[in-house]
Amino acid sequence: MTEVAVVGSGPNALAAAVTMARAGLKVHVFEAAATAGGGLRTTELMEPGHFHDVCSAVHPMALASPFFRQFELSRRVSLEVPDVSYGSPLDGGRAALAYRSLDRTAAELGHDGAAYRRLMAPLVRRVEGVADLTLNQLLRIPGNPAAAAAFGLRALEQGSPLWNARFSQDLAPALLSGVAAHAVVPLPSVTAAGAGLMLGALGHAGGWPIPRGGSAAIARALTADIEAHGGVIETGRRITSLADLPPVRATLLDVAPPALLHLAGARLPARYRRVLESFRFGNAACKVDFILSGPVPWAAEGLADAGTVHVGGTRAETAEAERLVAAGRHPDRPYVLVSQPSRFDPGRAPAGRHILWTYCHVPAGSTVDMGEAVIAQLERFAPGFRDLVVEFKVTTAAGLAAYSENYVGGDFGAGRMDLWGMLRRPVLSPVPWRTPLSGVYLCSSSTPPGPGVTGMPGFHAAKYALRDIFGLAVPDLGIGAA
């Protein structure tokens, strides 16, 4: 008899299911799509033999997430970790590069290198404390107050108009704003600065891994562990109401607030319903996938070795692009995230070919095809890029919303990333994963710590479900555990 139902099969749902199954409970995962994985799917999107990641491609938090560390992901999946975690090209064939080595990064940033080191070194030294702070509920006493203080002071600085005060040149600011813009909010802002500093510290402390075989390799490792511990994963099964589920003691929902409202219907208390109805989503992405006849011809030396490239130009240009998106406009020169997985995993494309994964930020709900704008930005910093394009496919923000109900309006973060959106996710509570319904928990990216392939929303929800419903502690998730 099933004891735990999990709705959805993205990384957070699978993390919850792994944790519950490892505790010895009978777990059933329900997934509407034909395959499990959610944001961890890899497919032959355009031509046979060319394997594209549908959503996530690079995983900055895979080596730092407490869930993945306990799960021993690095022993289950082959992770390629580039020496250059990320880079930001500038005009004139220049680029700022974030190596795994902080010292080397600072050495190549010229006059601003020492200032950059002073900014990042305390975070890199205390990276576990930074991860403990940022991958948990913010309404808690931090496990490492020194790390929290160092992080908070730097986030306040880099999230304010003083963000350029310690720098005199353009390389270091471009590097920092490129990684901060992951948050899809205007720059400067405290939440964008926090995201950038956390991701930057991880880039220097351990690197940004790319799974060999694509992001689906992570999903396969998770599903294999669930099934090895007696769990059942049922695909092609859409749950339209909590009444569709079998009688269970605990239900974990990897859904956004609108879907929770739909699934629970009138069972939710009116006050909680009103809070969910006011939940705010952020702006969105337009994704452009490419098949290339050769590697990206970056003008700047070193960018070919970067697992991720933030294409936006100077700090001012990146900030302007994000300002336009926040104002509901489509930038002519958008900020573009770029990764060429086949550079590090040749099996992703046939010999002589490469795949390229890109997306740019756009207003929520956008139906605009940004393919030409993305190509123009890449051509700007990689002359001759256009001539290498064999084929490309555009997925608009509306297309992302159609792919996943959690990506409301194309918001792949499942909730706005401003300060209030991080504190009230989806409710202001010390345990926001609990719902008012007995035994029902929310475990999507609409709960802390928010977006990113960390498994942590599912891990947190499972931890409380185990304690509240079953009186059990979190089990050992390692490979050698029973």
Side-chain angles (χ1 to χ4, degrees):
M1 178 179 177
T2 301
E3 296 169 284
V4 179
V6 178
V7 176
S9 71
N12 296 319
L14 295 178
V18 162
T19 306
M20 302 301 273
R22 282 296 191 104
L25 302 171
K26 297 187 182 301
V27 176
H28 194 127
V29 178
F30 298 88
E31 168 56 51
T35 59
L40 292 176
R41 293 192 178 105
T42 305
T43 185
E44 294 172 298
L45 193 62
M46 287 175 269
E47 293 186 14
H50 300 74
F51 296 92
H52 303 263
D53 289 315
V54 178
C55 296
S56 62
V58 183
H59 300 277
M61 293 175 280
L63 296 176
S65 159
F67 169 75
F68 281 131
R69 291 179 68 178
Q70 292 188 39
F71 185 66
E72 298 183 282
L73 181 69
S74 61
R75 293 181 61 192
R76 301 169 188 263
V77 175
S78 178
L79 300 174
E80 302 296 328
V81 187
D83 286 337
V84 182
S85 296
Y86 54 92
S88 292
L90 294 170
D91 290 322
R94 299 179 303 133
L97 303 176
Y99 295 92
R100 280 192 281 164
S101 166
L102 178 58
D103 288 341
R104 185 175 179 185
T105 302
E108 294 192 10
L109 288 177
H111 185 267
D112 284 336
Y116 181 85
R117 182 189 285 105
R118 287 193 295 272
L119 178 73
M120 297 301 299
L123 306 181
V124 175
R125 285 197 304 269
R126 301 181 177 96
V127 71
E128 290 189 6
V130 171
D132 173 77
L133 176 71
T134 56
L135 295 179
N136 271 290
Q137 161 65 288
L138 294 179
L139 297 176
R140 61 188 280 272
I141 297 173
N144 186 326
F151 179 82
L153 289 172
R154 285 159 173 78
L156 288 172
E157 175 204 306
Q158 287 298 302
S160 78
L162 296 175
W163 65 340
N164 285 321
R166 68 169 71 215
F167 303 115
S168 61
Q169 298 178 326
D170 55 1
L171 287 174
L175 193 65
L176 290 163
S177 54
V179 70
H182 280 239
V184 203
V185 292
L187 303 175
S189 70
V190 172
T191 50
L197 291 168
M198 182 266 287
L199 293 172
L202 295 177
H204 294 308
W208 288 14
I210 297 172
R212 185 171 283 273
S215 293
I218 299 176
R220 287 194 294 270
L222 292 164
T223 56
D225 195 79
I226 294 165
E227 292 172 341
H229 291 84
V232 174
I233 300 173
E234 182 179 357
T235 57
R237 175 77 182 276
R238 178 174 293 279
I239 302 300
T240 60
S241 166
L242 294 181
D244 293 344
L245 297 170
V248 292
R249 296 179 64 188
T251 301
L252 293 99
L253 305 171
D254 185 3
V255 302
L260 174 57
L261 287 166
H262 176 74
L263 290 171
R267 293 176 57 185
L268 290 172
R271 182 177 179 182
Y272 188 79
R273 286 188 63 87
R274 286 195 297 272
V275 173
L276 294 188
E277 287 167 352
S278 67
F279 184 78
R280 298 177 306 159
F281 290 91
N283 282 310
C286 177
K287 187 167 182 284
V288 189
D289 291 286
F290 294 90
I291 294 175
L292 305 178
S293 60
V296 178
W298 298 111
E301 184 178 354
L303 279 180
D305 296 324
T308 300
V309 180
H310 302 124
V311 176
T314 65
R315 167 168 269 183
E317 288 178 300
T318 297
E320 174 63 9
E322 296 303 279
R323 184 194 69 79
L324 290 172
V325 171
R329 298 166 61 186
H330 296 77
D332 292 332
R333 286 186 161 184
Y335 163 80
V336 187
L337 276 89
V338 180
S339 182
Q340 186 176 292
S342 51
R343 165 71 174 77
F344 308 96
D345 179 7
R348 299 285 294 277
R353 290 282 186 90
H354 283 273
I355 58 166
L356 193 71
W357 174 98
T358 79
Y359 72 80
C360 67
H361 295 159
V362 294
S366 169
T367 59
V368 173
D369 179 334
M370 294 291 286
E372 182 53 41
V374 168
I375 291 172
Q377 276 287 68
L378 288 166
E379 182 73 23
R380 173 185 170 190
F381 297 106
F385 171 81
R386 189 183 297 272
D387 297 333
L388 298 176
V389 176
V390 176
E391 189 173 354
F392 69 96
K393 179 179 175 60
V394 175
T395 305
T396 66
L400 286 177
Y403 171 78
S404 172
E405 293 179 19
N406 286 1
Y407 301 165
V408 175
D411 173 11
F412 57 88
R416 187 165 175 147
M417 291 284 288
D418 60 9
L419 188 57
W420 185 238
M422 295 304 294
L423 289 171
R424 201 193 82 169
R425 200 168 185 94
V427 296
L428 194 64
S429 165
V431 188
W433 306 277
R434 289 191 188 120
T435 77
L437 303 179
S438 178
V440 178
Y441 298 79
L442 195 61
C443 68
S444 70
S445 293
S446 298
T447 65
V453 179
T454 66
M456 290 304 294
F459 190 42
H460 287 308
K463 174 179 66 177
Y464 284 103
L466 286 172
R467 180 190 305 174
D468 298 344
I469 307 300
F470 301 98
L472 297 173
V474 174
D476 189 335
L477 306 179
I479 291 177

